[in-house]
Amino acid sequence: MKYLVMIQARCGSARLPNKVLKDISGKPDLQWVIERVSRSRFIDEVMVVTSIEKNNLPLIRLCTELGIRVFVGSENDVLDRYYQGTRLLKPEYIVRITADCPLFDWRYLDMAIEQLKDGTDYMAELTESFPDGLDIEIIRYSALKRMWKEAKLSSEREHVTQYIKNHPEEFAIQNLECPIAGIGDKRWTLDQNEDYELICNIYNHFISEGKEDFVTEDILAYLQSNGHLEKLNENITRNEGLAKSLAKDKVLVC
């Protein structure tokens, strides 16, 4: 297996509880993410990775109904969750997507795979040129295994690729740049009620037109004609969860 997509999902979000199961135009958020990722021309399989908490049972049932493989692992050590989920399949590359990205554009995943250089350990949108919510990370399996062995900070265990970002000189890193300039400040992720309202507006518009395969350019055009919608979540800080983890970081005893 060359490309395994692993969608990180759980029901215990503090800012927007059960966000991955919230209804968006007739389907739960997670189902939309799975369907949009699955449009990629190059991936071999999509897997959902969640935690052992009991409140994730509805999420697991949804994956079963959709015929999607699901791996259940550690609640707090997300890096371990990813590594344990890959040990049997041993893909060459892991594509990390989070379930709070229902506007994910599969074309950019295909673009990333086409641009991926031989020898790259880690590819990501390092310059944050994509809207928040179109996030893509591609990790070589050997790099994931090394992170799993060496990461000691709590933030490095909670945020899967933080170890690479803390030690860039030790890995071959490649940037992924958005082909549309000037849209990196847009917020299309699902993390708070204001995000949910924006995303529902976008979906309701396109689904009412019978268009499930809308892409970034379609969203931009719709928002340009409905500028008030972007004001809904414009004051929310990007990467708030990471900032909180770094603020209370600690070295773990292994």
Side-chain angles (χ1 to χ4, degrees):
M1 179 181 292
K2 190 159 189 178
Y3 297 106
L4 171 65
V5 174
M6 302 183 79
I7 300 176
Q8 184 176 322
R10 67 186 184 96
C11 294
S13 172
R15 291 180 292 275
L16 189 61
N18 293 312
K19 65 181 180 181
V20 300
L21 298 179
K22 276 192 167 293
D23 180 83
I24 302 173
S25 293
K27 296 180 186 179
D29 161 74
L30 179 58
Q31 184 173 348
W32 283 120
V33 178
I34 292 169
E35 290 180 2
R36 291 178 72 83
V37 170
S38 297
R39 291 178 183 272
S40 168
R41 294 179 289 122
F42 299 123
I43 61 172
D44 296 299
E45 184 174 345
V46 176
M47 173 194 288
V48 171
V49 284
T50 190
S51 78
I52 59 175
E53 293 298 307
K54 191 181 296 184
N55 61 3
N56 289 318
L57 287 174
L59 180 159
I60 296 170
R61 281 195 292 270
L62 174 64
C63 292
T64 301
E65 292 168 1
L66 297 175
I68 295 294
R69 192 194 302 257
V70 59
F71 179 82
V72 178
S74 171
E75 169 71 9
N76 297 315
D77 191 341
V78 188
L79 177 56
D80 182 71
R81 193 193 308 171
Y82 265 77
Y83 175 66
Q84 299 302 337
T86 62
R87 287 183 66 187
L88 288 178
L89 299 176
K90 289 186 173 59
E92 188 174 347
Y93 296 97
I94 298 94
V95 178
R96 179 174 177 254
I97 307 293
T98 54
D100 50 11
C101 297
L103 299 179
F104 182 83
D105 193 329
W106 61 93
R107 301 171 310 153
Y108 295 147
L109 173 54
D110 288 347
M111 180 186 78
I113 290 173
E114 288 178 322
Q115 292 181 7
L116 189 68
K117 298 175 182 177
D118 291 341
T120 293
D121 293 315
Y122 176 63
M123 173 189 260
E125 42 152 341
L126 304 173
T127 55
E128 295 187 347
S129 60
F130 288 85
D132 190 4
L134 298 190
D135 312 65
I136 300 170
E137 292 180 294
I138 301 179
I139 313 155
R140 188 184 292 276
Y141 175 75
S142 57
L144 178 69
K145 185 175 182 179
R146 179 179 174 185
M147 288 190 291
W148 176 77
K149 287 181 176 179
E150 298 181 4
K152 297 295 187 292
L153 295 176
S154 57
S155 61
E156 294 172 345
R157 308 302 301 192
E158 181 182 357
H159 299 274
V160 177
T161 56
Q162 191 61 29
Y163 182 85
I164 288 180
K165 295 168 184 174
N166 287 344
H167 304 276
E169 72 284 353
E170 298 179 13
F171 297 90
I173 298 175
Q174 185 178 345
N175 182 47
L176 178 66
E177 194 73 18
C178 184
I180 303 175
I183 63 173
D185 61 339
K186 296 186 180 297
R187 181 178 172 88
W188 296 352
T189 190
L190 178 61
D191 196 49
Q192 301 199 28
N193 281 310
E194 295 87 348
D195 301 324
Y196 181 57
E197 186 176 351
L198 171 65
I199 289 168
C200 283
N201 267 282
I202 293 170
Y203 261 94
N204 289 341
H205 169 73
F206 288 109
I207 298 305
S208 69
E209 296 187 338
K211 186 178 176 63
E212 289 191 358
D213 60 344
F214 60 92
V215 294
T216 300
E217 291 87 343
D218 298 319
I219 300 170
L220 291 171
Y222 175 64
L223 293 177
Q224 188 172 14
S225 301
N226 297 271
H228 64 285
L229 292 176
E230 291 191 278
K231 296 184 183 299
L232 290 169
N233 63 357
E234 66 180 2
N235 294 320
I236 302 175
T237 304
R238 189 167 186 159
N239 295 326
E240 185 178 359
L242 175 58
K244 289 183 177 179
S245 296
L246 293 175
K248 58 181 181 181
D249 216 0
K250 61 182 179 180
V251 176
L252 300 175
V253 178
C254 299

